[in-house]
Amino acid sequence: MFKTLLYVNMGANFDWYYWLSQLFLYSFVLVGVLGWSSGKYSKLLLGFFAVFIFGFQLFHSLSTGNGERNHRMKIGLYLDKLEPDKNQWIMLEPAGYIPYYSKLKVSDDIGLVDKRVTNEILKNKNHWYPRFLQTYKPKYVLTLFPIPKTNKAYLDFREDQKDWFQKNYSLHKVFYAKEAVNSTQNIWLKKLYNLKPSARDYYLYIKR
């Protein structure tokens, strides 16, 4: 419960942080449908419910799979080729496909895989992100927002921290989400990816 409240307070409102609620979501919906439906229309309603859930899950899976396979995995493979020293650290938000395929040591913005991040947040959540970079100096920083021009709360840099970051890190590459959307020639999949784009732009910074 404490970690859930911490994530919400940081603005991490992603459904995969609350898997327990998702696990029981369909169970509650199914109970509601069974309780509401009766008589000759019960089978029809249950059939409609099953088709709807299957379609929704298929839609979600295809979109999410595209974002992971055609975007985040490629970023990880790019980093794998870029950095031969696998003892180097990268600071990033999604502790999943990207660090796995890059084979680099990872600190994540939420603190799921590096307790140093969580400890830094608990000390003082104000300006914790630039403070972490100044303390541990990871070679790579991968963000969903350009630094320091961002309105993201936990990426809030003081003026002196902005100057420090610009002196010590440089923008190496931007991985655009539209590249993942355009990765398929299938017109229907392309429409689906545009309707629910799972991929997002990533900004890769390297320590000077």
Side-chain angles (χ1 to χ4, degrees):
M1 176 60 71
F2 175 75
K3 279 194 172 183
T4 299
L5 293 175
L6 177 63
Y7 297 153
V8 171
N9 189 45
M10 291 173 58
N13 303 312
F14 306 113
D15 54 4
W16 54 81
Y17 292 126
Y18 316 111
W19 62 269
L20 192 60
S21 60
Q22 281 201 319
L23 182 64
F24 294 104
L25 172 62
Y26 293 145
S27 299
F28 284 113
V29 175
L30 180 59
V31 169
V33 171
L34 289 173
W36 179 65
S37 62
S38 60
K40 60 181 180 180
Y41 296 110
S42 59
K43 291 184 178 180
L44 180 63
L45 287 171
L46 286 174
F48 174 80
F49 173 77
V51 171
F52 172 79
I53 293 301
F54 176 80
F56 177 81
Q57 285 298 111
L58 179 63
F59 173 77
H60 181 75
S61 297
L62 288 172
S63 176
T64 302
N66 173 66
E68 299 291 359
R69 182 181 62 258
N70 292 324
H71 193 49
R72 297 182 186 91
M73 184 178 77
K74 290 181 179 178
I75 295 174
L77 292 173
Y78 176 87
L79 286 165
D80 182 36
K81 292 181 180 179
L82 179 66
E83 180 53 67
D85 182 4
K86 301 309 175 184
N87 288 316
Q88 294 293 341
W89 286 80
I90 181 171
M91 178 69 166
L92 77 171
E93 185 273 318
Y97 269 65
I98 296 174
Y100 177 82
Y101 284 98
S102 71
K103 303 182 182 69
L104 297 172
K105 293 186 176 181
V106 59
S107 299
D108 67 301
D109 295 4
I110 308 301
L112 294 176
V113 299
D114 189 347
K115 65 180 180 180
R116 298 178 304 174
V117 173
T118 307
N119 292 337
E120 201 67 40
I121 297 170
L122 292 175
K123 287 179 186 176
N124 185 354
K125 69 176 183 179
N126 295 323
H127 310 292
W128 75 264
Y129 189 90
R131 195 171 64 245
F132 183 91
L133 297 181
Q134 289 176 310
T135 302
Y136 297 103
K137 300 178 178 63
K139 182 174 181 179
Y140 299 96
V141 177
L142 185 69
T143 70
L144 295 168
F145 310 90
I147 295 178
K149 298 178 180 179
T150 175
N151 293 323
K152 191 70 173 178
Y154 70 85
L155 293 183
D156 184 25
F157 284 64
R158 297 193 311 263
E159 287 302 319
D160 61 310
Q161 292 171 330
K162 291 179 182 179
D163 293 338
W164 177 87
F165 185 84
Q166 291 172 341
K167 289 178 181 177
N168 289 273
Y169 286 87
S170 61
L171 180 63
H172 174 75
K173 183 177 176 63
V174 180
F175 300 91
Y176 292 104
K178 64 182 180 182
E179 296 175 1
V181 172
N182 296 325
S183 62
T184 178
Q185 299 301 317
N186 188 305
I187 187 172
W188 295 108
L189 286 178
K190 189 171 292 188
K191 287 183 177 181
L192 183 148
Y193 298 157
N194 279 299
L195 184 63
K196 185 184 181 298
S198 176
R200 299 174 64 181
D201 294 344
Y202 285 93
Y203 300 82
L204 177 63
Y205 296 87
I206 299 181
K207 188 169 64 175
R208 297 180 189 273

